[in-house]
Amino acid sequence: MKFSIDTLLPHSNDMIMIDEIVEISPEQITAKRLIKEGDVYVSDAKLAGFAMLELMAQTIGAYAGYYAKTNGAKPTLGFLIGSRKFDILKDGIEVGVCVHIKAVCSIQDESGFGVWDGEIYDQKQIYATAKLSVLSPNQETLERMKR
């Protein structure tokens, strides 16, 4: 099943930083992004290094949105709780480069809490790696959080 990214993420179009899902399975997801001039966080013809964490987080969000829609539910908000071992291996990604963003689930519990291993790479190099802690609550949990 294929969905457009804007139906999977609760972001405005300007803030959506991934183009499409390349591969998805219950344990992992790979998305891709062509870095363009005018993209959010692009300055001096480069995507800023810190923004690579957001690329990974949005890829995980697309995973949650994909499985929500596949199961007949509406995608909900997700939260990046934190990261460990965020290694920026190259100072930014140049405009015109198409990168893949891979996220592999280490653990995921029924509350929606999960730990994911993320990596951003192209055919030549790895740009960044991180371990991300996220919360992707279902609608019922999200409603309880609002109280």
Side-chain angles (χ1 to χ4, degrees):
M1 204 173 294
K2 192 165 183 160
F3 302 107
S4 66
I5 293 299
D6 64 342
T7 67
L8 303 178
L9 295 172
H11 296 65
S12 68
N13 285 339
D14 291 346
M15 284 303 297
I16 293 176
M17 295 177 64
I18 59 176
D19 294 327
E20 67 179 286
I21 295 172
V22 176
E23 182 180 349
I24 191 164
S25 72
E27 300 83 27
Q28 65 183 23
I29 182 172
T30 302
K32 73 177 185 177
R33 176 65 175 187
L34 173 62
I35 307 303
K36 299 182 278 295
E37 193 64 52
D39 281 352
V40 67
Y41 305 124
V42 168
S43 178
D44 297 325
K46 276 187 183 179
L47 177 73
F50 69 84
M52 292 188 242
L53 192 62
E54 180 65 16
L55 281 173
M56 292 181 220
Q58 286 193 20
T59 299
I60 297 165
Y63 172 95
Y66 176 90
Y67 279 104
K69 286 185 73 100
T70 299
N71 293 318
K74 181 181 171 190
T76 62
L77 292 174
F79 305 94
L80 174 61
I81 296 171
S83 66
R84 294 177 306 190
K85 300 180 184 174
F86 179 34
D87 292 320
I88 300 172
L89 305 172
K90 185 156 180 358
D91 182 31
I93 305 170
E94 293 82 14
V95 167
V97 172
C98 185
V99 292
H100 283 78
I101 309 102
K102 183 175 185 176
V104 179
C105 185
S106 294
I107 60 168
Q108 182 85 34
D109 69 20
E110 290 184 20
S111 73
F113 173 77
V115 177
W116 293 73
D117 295 308
E119 180 179 77
I120 299 175
Y121 60 94
D122 66 12
Q123 294 176 344
K124 299 175 189 172
Q125 61 194 319
I126 298 172
Y127 289 88
T129 61
K131 187 171 284 291
L132 293 84
S133 298
V134 299
L135 180 62
S136 302
N138 61 29
Q139 192 64 41
E140 180 182 324
T141 303
L142 190 58
E143 292 301 320
R144 274 198 318 258
M145 290 170 66
K146 289 180 182 178
R147 293 184 200 148

